[in-house]
Amino acid sequence: MFKQESKQKDTCNYQFRYQKMVQGHDPNKLELFNGFRSYNSMKSNSFKGGYIGKRHTWMRKHLSSIVVTVALMGFLYLLDSFISSVFEPSVIQSNSMPKNMIVPLEIGDSRGKDVVQMYDRLASMASSALVELKQDESKFWKESYRQASEWSPCADRKESTSVRTEKLQSNTGYILVSANGGLNQQRVAVCNAVAVASLLNATLVIPRFLFSNVWKDPSQFGDIYQEEYFIKTLTNEVNIVKDLPPHLKSLDFKEIGSLITDADMSKEATPTEYIEKVLPLLSKNGVVHFLGFGNRLGFDPLPSQLQRLRCKCNYHALKFVHKIQETGSLLIRRIRKYDGSRNKLDKQLLGKFITGFRSNGPDIDREPLKYIALHLRFEVDMVAYSLCEFGGGQVEKTELQAYREVHFPLLMQRLKRTRAVSAEELRRSGKCPLTPEEAALVLAALGFTSETYIYLAGSQIYGGKSRMQPLTNLYPHVITKEDLLSPTELAPFKNFSSQLAALDFIACATADVFAITDSGSQLSSLVSGFRTYYGRGHAPTLRPSKKRLAEILSKNQTIDWKEFEARVTKMISGAQSVRLRGWGRSIYRQPRCPECMCKFQ
């Protein structure tokens, strides 16, 4: 980009000098131009004073001068054309495209021709190791610890009704929530809103979803979740209605002081803050409107009944609408090449659209195909924001820097005020998103064969085919929902990113193995929580530590494959140990606690 700007400047300078030359500002050219003018004047006078009979003699005498003049004029004309053809297109081209315009490469993008690979030596050893592996040799198709099967779902257990009935009758007002973000952020906001409504003895209006310029999805609650089922499941826990009463609809919430934004509440606020700040407004005006509501209810301290209510909302009350369930069921059947339900996760997520038995067919005795769902967080925004380097050289650095300048101006301002952290330091501290190549090396080290089917969830991968090739070289059976569903089947979801994300949610939650590359992702957190809640020890999740993996990969030029396998296996096994939810940890990611699950000996 900077070279192009320099070229434009040189071009403009050259054009200006050329214009001055032609206009007679150059002294040497000015003399030549005046010579032409004197000569033409002399030629005209000679013609007037002579006669026609002497014209041929004159022509022969001055023929050489005429030829020189014509040739010189032709040369100047060609020089002008040459300058225009060489320099002008670059000016036109640079002016027609925004200076900072970056189009991220996507899977299938024809521009991604050069394979980007950071660990050639390890990739070569992985390829050789996969050749020797037998099918299903990996122990990670199953949970590593038996204790995982001792926990069962019970957030929907029956509680004493007398206290709840009294609370439901003493209504303090209405809570309206307009949730921001995508599918997973909004899901968390809904369940937090249920808990807050119960805490304040308020009636919850079915939450609304804000339109985001990032997600560009106009979907509302009823387009994604079954409204009637949601209300019915929570009917004995909290009052829920579909809309505000007519006398409250016309109110200006901001004018009466009932509009509460994220700036008005602490992140992960405590119940005390809601009681002190929100309850007085609710009692006074009869309604409050939470705008945004992103992570505005903490996990601890919180009464156990509210924790249980959050779990009941997330794992029992929120069912996808039939359109999503039906297409999700079709997607799962095509991945597995199997018609029937395999586990409780299937029934919870797909409802009546997944059968409990195999239909008759030529492959009736065949086992369902096992697959790994891989959630890669390697979209251009994640990559650019991380400030890490990923082996793409100067082209990659220039692209990501330009993307940051356009999309992350606040980040750029902060970087100017703080000490720069090197890309190497960021990687060592575990701040860099895992690349497709790194994910492939982890799977190979865990013993998954090259015949393993991998369902790829998420958005477009930055770098497209060139970035994906190290993964597909080791694991050629990489599939997406776009591969398995026809354009006609996907048409009802076009321009509805949250509904498309729901299909990924289903495919990841019901997978034999779920592999994540970023533990901070909401999709990864919610899906792993679902698998813990309903999996009964048969739904393993692979959680590599980016910091530990970076330390292992730093030895890529010297480490042998056996040691690499051993260290990666130890890392993953340690993350699979059965733990109770810790203080302040997300109930949506780690539901293994007395409020949400019951332990059976």
Side-chain angles (χ1 to χ4, degrees):
M1 181 181 71
F2 302 111
K3 290 182 179 179
Q4 187 179 36
E5 289 178 351
S6 177
K7 183 178 179 181
Q8 290 177 4
K9 184 176 180 182
D10 292 341
T11 301
C12 293
N13 291 337
Y14 185 93
Q15 289 173 319
F16 182 61
R17 291 197 302 270
Y18 172 71
Q19 289 169 356
K20 290 201 298 183
M21 177 191 78
V22 173
Q23 292 169 0
H25 293 284
D26 187 305
N28 296 326
K29 300 304 175 184
L30 182 61
E31 181 180 350
L32 177 61
F33 179 77
N34 289 335
F36 288 153
R37 186 172 59 183
S38 299
Y39 175 75
N40 288 336
S41 176
M42 178 188 69
K43 182 178 68 171
S44 176
N45 293 335
S46 174
F47 177 78
K48 291 177 182 178
Y51 53 89
I52 296 176
K54 295 183 178 181
R55 182 168 53 183
H56 296 293
T57 303
W58 182 88
M59 289 285 289
R60 284 194 300 270
K61 182 177 179 180
H62 298 284
L63 180 61
S64 60
S65 298
I66 293 173
V67 170
V68 171
T69 302
V70 172
L72 186 57
M73 292 177 66
F75 170 78
L76 292 174
Y77 176 82
L78 290 174
L79 181 62
D80 178 72
S81 299
F82 173 77
I83 291 172
S84 299
S85 64
V86 171
F87 292 97
E88 285 300 318
S90 64
V91 176
I92 294 170
Q93 182 179 358
S94 65
N95 289 337
S96 65
M97 184 178 293
K99 181 176 68 172
N100 290 327
M101 181 177 180
I102 291 294
V103 181
L105 298 180
E106 301 175 355
I107 293 178
D109 194 316
S110 60
R111 293 192 297 151
K113 294 180 180 179
D114 297 329
V115 177
V116 181
Q117 195 154 9
M118 300 172 65
Y119 310 100
D120 299 46
R121 178 176 172 273
L122 276 174
S124 178
M125 291 192 294
S127 181
S128 299
L130 289 178
V131 172
E132 301 173 4
L133 283 178
K134 297 179 182 179
Q135 184 68 28
D136 295 339
E137 188 171 311
S138 177
K139 68 177 184 179
F140 289 96
W141 285 110
K142 298 179 181 179
E143 293 268 15
S144 299
Y145 295 89
R146 179 183 59 82
Q147 297 93 322
S149 62
E150 297 174 358
W151 290 84
S152 295
C154 63
D156 61 339
R157 60 186 179 271
K158 303 295 183 182
E159 298 287 338
S160 174
T161 59
S162 58
V163 176
R164 289 205 310 272
T165 302
E166 182 179 344
K167 286 183 65 176
L168 291 174
Q169 291 175 348
S170 58
N171 184 50
T172 57
Y174 291 85
I175 289 179
L176 182 64
V177 171
S178 295
N180 58 14
L183 172 77
N184 304 294
Q185 292 83 358
Q186 290 167 345
R187 187 183 186 102
V188 169
V190 168
C191 293
N192 287 347
V194 167
V196 169
S198 177
L199 171 69
L200 302 179
N201 291 344
T203 295
L204 177 67
V205 179
I206 289 283
R208 300 172 182 174
F209 295 158
L210 294 173
F211 181 84
S212 166
N213 288 328
V214 176
W215 303 104
K216 299 186 185 301
D217 186 350
S219 297
Q220 289 301 313
F221 186 98
D223 300 314
I224 299 173
Y225 302 110
Q226 298 177 36
E227 286 187 350
E228 296 296 340
Y229 187 89
F230 177 71
I231 295 172
K232 180 181 178 182
T233 302
L234 298 173
T235 189
N236 292 324
E237 308 278 0
V238 61
N239 287 322
I240 302 176
V241 296
K242 292 185 178 182
D243 208 347
L244 284 172
H247 71 282
L248 294 177
K249 284 184 179 181
S250 59
L251 292 178
D252 186 325
F253 298 127
K254 185 175 182 179
E255 184 177 328
I256 65 174
S258 284
L259 181 65
I260 302 174
T261 68
D262 283 355
D264 300 318
M265 300 294 296
S266 303
K267 188 175 182 181
E268 299 191 354
T270 63
T272 301
E273 186 171 346
Y274 279 94
I275 291 171
E276 292 178 351
K277 287 185 177 180
V278 179
L279 186 57
L281 292 175
L282 191 62
S283 301
K284 176 184 176 183
N285 299 324
V287 61
V288 293
H289 180 195
F290 289 101
L291 184 63
F293 206 58
N295 296 322
R296 285 308 182 270
L297 179 63
F299 293 102
D300 293 293
L302 201 71
S304 59
Q305 68 269 22
L306 294 185
Q307 297 284 33
R308 183 192 63 80
L309 187 55
R310 272 172 151 175
C311 284
K312 185 174 182 179
C313 170
N314 185 44
Y315 300 115
H316 295 275
L318 290 176
K319 297 277 191 184
F320 291 126
V321 293
H322 289 170
K323 179 181 82 169
I324 294 174
Q325 286 185 332
E326 184 175 15
T327 306
S329 175
L330 184 63
L331 177 63
I332 298 306
R333 292 202 303 270
R334 287 181 181 169
I335 297 174
R336 293 175 179 165
K337 302 178 182 178
Y338 186 87
D339 290 342
S341 171
R342 291 187 60 250
N343 50 46
K344 198 168 185 178
L345 279 162
D346 289 357
K347 297 298 293 182
Q348 287 298 321
L349 289 166
L350 301 172
K352 66 180 182 180
F353 295 99
I354 191 87
T355 59
F357 55 88
R358 272 310 302 269
S359 59
N360 292 326
D363 299 325
I364 190 170
D365 296 325
R366 190 182 61 77
E367 288 295 313
L369 182 74
K370 293 194 294 187
Y371 74 98
I372 297 173
L374 174 61
H375 185 215
L376 276 175
R377 293 305 312 279
F378 205 72
E379 302 91 348
V380 64
D381 56 341
M382 284 285 295
V383 172
Y385 196 84
S386 72
L387 302 175
C388 299
E389 295 178 4
F390 302 93
Q394 189 57 46
V395 172
E396 174 193 286
K397 292 179 183 179
T398 303
E399 279 194 346
L400 296 181
Q401 177 66 10
Y403 188 92
R404 282 189 286 267
E405 290 174 358
V406 174
H407 297 278
F408 303 126
L410 295 180
L411 172 64
M412 298 306 297
Q413 292 176 18
R414 190 172 76 241
L415 291 175
K416 294 176 181 178
R417 298 191 302 267
T418 58
R419 180 184 70 86
V421 180
S422 69
E424 293 78 11
E425 187 177 346
L426 288 170
R427 187 167 294 279
R428 283 195 303 270
S429 59
K431 301 295 178 60
C432 299
L434 295 192
T435 66
E437 179 185 13
E438 290 168 335
L441 291 173
V442 170
L443 294 177
L446 297 179
F448 292 104
T449 75
S450 59
E451 294 302 310
T452 302
Y453 276 74
I454 298 176
Y455 178 87
L456 186 63
S459 303
Q460 288 104 357
I461 302 301
Y462 172 72
K465 281 186 176 180
S466 63
R467 185 63 73 171
M468 283 294 296
Q469 192 165 329
L471 171 61
T472 55
N473 283 346
L474 296 179
Y475 293 97
H477 302 301
V478 175
I479 51 178
T480 65
K481 56 184 174 293
E482 289 78 14
D483 297 322
L484 297 165
L485 299 173
S486 70
T488 301
E489 291 163 339
L490 284 170
F493 302 92
K494 186 178 181 182
N495 300 323
F496 298 104
S497 60
S498 291
Q499 296 180 42
L500 283 170
L503 298 179
D504 276 339
F505 188 104
I506 290 170
C508 290
T510 59
D512 296 274
V513 174
F514 178 47
I516 66 178
T517 60
D518 180 19
S519 59
S521 158
Q522 281 280 26
L523 173 65
S524 294
S525 295
L526 287 169
V527 167
S528 61
F530 247 84
R531 293 171 65 81
T532 297
Y533 191 78
Y534 284 114
R536 291 298 301 268
H538 301 288
T541 297
L542 309 179
R543 300 182 181 91
S545 163
K546 291 187 289 186
K547 185 175 181 179
R548 290 181 63 182
L549 183 60
E551 196 277 326
I552 297 170
L553 289 171
S554 68
K555 309 291 194 301
N556 71 90
Q557 293 300 328
T558 56
I559 194 170
D560 62 53
W561 185 250
K562 288 297 181 183
E563 183 183 355
F564 182 76
E565 281 183 323
R567 295 185 66 177
V568 170
T569 297
K570 182 179 179 181
M571 173 185 67
I572 297 297
S573 297
Q576 285 189 326
S577 59
V578 177
R579 301 185 182 95
L580 289 179
R581 184 185 74 89
W583 176 270
R585 298 292 184 178
S586 170
I587 206 88
Y588 306 112
R589 181 184 178 187
Q590 298 177 339
R592 197 178 281 124
C593 62
E595 295 88 349
C596 296
M597 300 183 72
C598 297
K599 186 177 181 181
F600 298 94
Q601 301 297 334

